[in-house]
Amino acid sequence: MRTLSPQSFSHFPKPYHPHLPMRIVALGDSLIYGFGDPVGGGWVERLRRLWMSPNHPGHALYNLGVRGNGVAQVSQRLEKEWSHRGEFRNRQPELMILSVGVNDSPRLGRADGREFTEFEHFHTQMNHLLDQAVNLCPVLFVGMVPVDESKMPFLDCFYYNHADQYRYKQATQLACEQRQIPYLDIFDLWLKRGEHWRRLHLSADGLHPNIRGYQALLHDILNWEPMSHLHTDLPSWETSA
């Protein structure tokens, strides 16, 4: 099993090394897919474009996000999707970025309805997903964004709330810690910035980041220590949130 502690990221290929491009896959839900950002295509797409520049590391980054996916769907397609990409013929990724869980957390039909994915079942599925991932390559996990509770329900039936989000993200974070997978707690980070800040960075649906939100996400992710080893000198237009 290939596991990686946060300290181990100092051994990752450093930015601007022309002979060591990495092959990276990003798998998850809308946060990976980039829904809500018609300008930049989300934080993964913004990063992919930066790495296509001759002045940046040249990592090959594949966005394998699917809107609406929960942890079970990501687990089912974990390996078979990236294995068909040309960069991965006869080889595995050097790094996998995961971001999933928010779609498992809402209540159905009403604010006190049943959980979309029952909590214990989610816990089991998340452990299975992470075990699959760390047996393939080093893994990073980007946590969920806190919703705007005042905009619920989403699609007239999904009631997201911070209390349930917290339970699901805590279970995910603990599962990552047990496997030495670095976890970026976007939920707590964005809550600390206040309600006004969050509303400026979420789409009208109260669930997905908007253009400004994905700019902020990219800034947060690239200032996270494990990712800072992969990329430096982010242009100023990308870091503004």
Side-chain angles (χ1 to χ4, degrees):
M1 178 184 296
R2 298 181 62 191
T3 58
L4 210 59
S5 67
Q7 292 77 18
S8 300
F9 278 86
S10 61
H11 302 299
F12 266 33
K14 296 296 187 289
Y16 303 110
H17 195 307
H19 304 299
L20 291 174
M22 296 183 69
R23 290 162 176 82
I24 303 170
V25 293
L27 289 103
D29 52 31
S30 297
L31 204 64
I32 293 291
Y33 179 78
F35 185 76
D37 183 6
V39 173
W43 75 264
V44 175
E45 175 63 16
R46 289 171 181 269
L47 182 55
R48 187 186 74 86
R49 293 176 187 179
L50 287 177
W51 282 345
M52 290 172 66
S53 165
N55 298 321
H56 289 283
H59 303 309
L61 176 59
Y62 282 89
N63 184 330
L64 304 182
V66 175
R67 290 181 60 193
N69 262 194
V71 64
Q73 289 77 29
V74 173
S75 181
Q76 289 167 3
R77 63 186 180 86
L78 181 72
E79 187 169 356
K80 61 185 177 183
E81 277 212 3
W82 60 258
S83 63
H84 293 292
R85 268 61 183 183
E87 293 281 351
F88 300 110
R89 287 195 186 96
N90 303 315
R91 64 186 300 171
Q92 294 176 334
E94 278 90 25
L95 176 66
M96 181 181 298
I97 303 171
L98 294 172
S99 184
V100 65
V102 68
N103 292 319
D104 296 286
S105 70
R107 302 279 176 163
L108 290 178
R110 60 181 191 268
D112 62 348
R114 70 173 181 86
E115 299 158 335
F116 185 81
T117 302
E118 192 272 327
F119 182 74
E120 291 303 321
H121 191 42
F122 170 82
H123 186 267
T124 299
Q125 291 175 328
M126 180 59 72
N127 281 308
H128 176 65
L129 170 64
L130 297 180
D131 285 339
Q132 282 183 284
V134 296
N135 274 295
L136 291 170
C137 65
V139 179
L140 299 177
F141 203 107
V142 176
M144 66 179 74
V145 169
V147 303
D148 183 348
E149 292 176 312
S150 70
K151 300 292 181 65
M152 296 301 117
F154 177 68
L155 298 178
D156 296 323
C157 61
F158 297 107
Y159 287 80
Y160 292 85
N161 67 78
H162 290 170
D164 284 327
Q165 279 194 282
Y166 183 81
R167 290 175 66 226
Y168 284 68
K169 79 94 178 174
Q170 282 289 90
T172 303
Q173 187 169 7
L174 178 60
C176 286
E177 289 174 356
Q178 291 170 343
R179 294 161 177 79
Q180 295 185 301
I181 297 172
Y183 179 93
L184 179 59
D185 194 344
I186 293 292
F187 183 83
D188 280 0
L189 183 63
W190 280 33
L191 280 183
K192 290 176 182 177
R193 292 173 181 167
E195 183 177 347
H196 177 70
W197 186 95
R198 291 195 306 276
R199 289 186 175 181
L200 289 175
H201 290 77
L202 289 172
S203 298
D205 62 19
L207 181 60
H208 300 97
N210 56 21
I211 296 168
R212 184 180 292 180
Y214 280 108
Q215 288 176 329
L217 264 176
L218 181 59
H219 178 74
D220 293 335
I221 289 164
L222 287 179
N223 279 281
W224 181 33
E225 183 180 0
M227 286 296 293
S228 69
H229 291 297
L230 301 180
H231 187 90
T232 58
D233 298 335
L234 188 65
S236 58
W237 68 269
E238 281 284 1
T239 61
S240 60

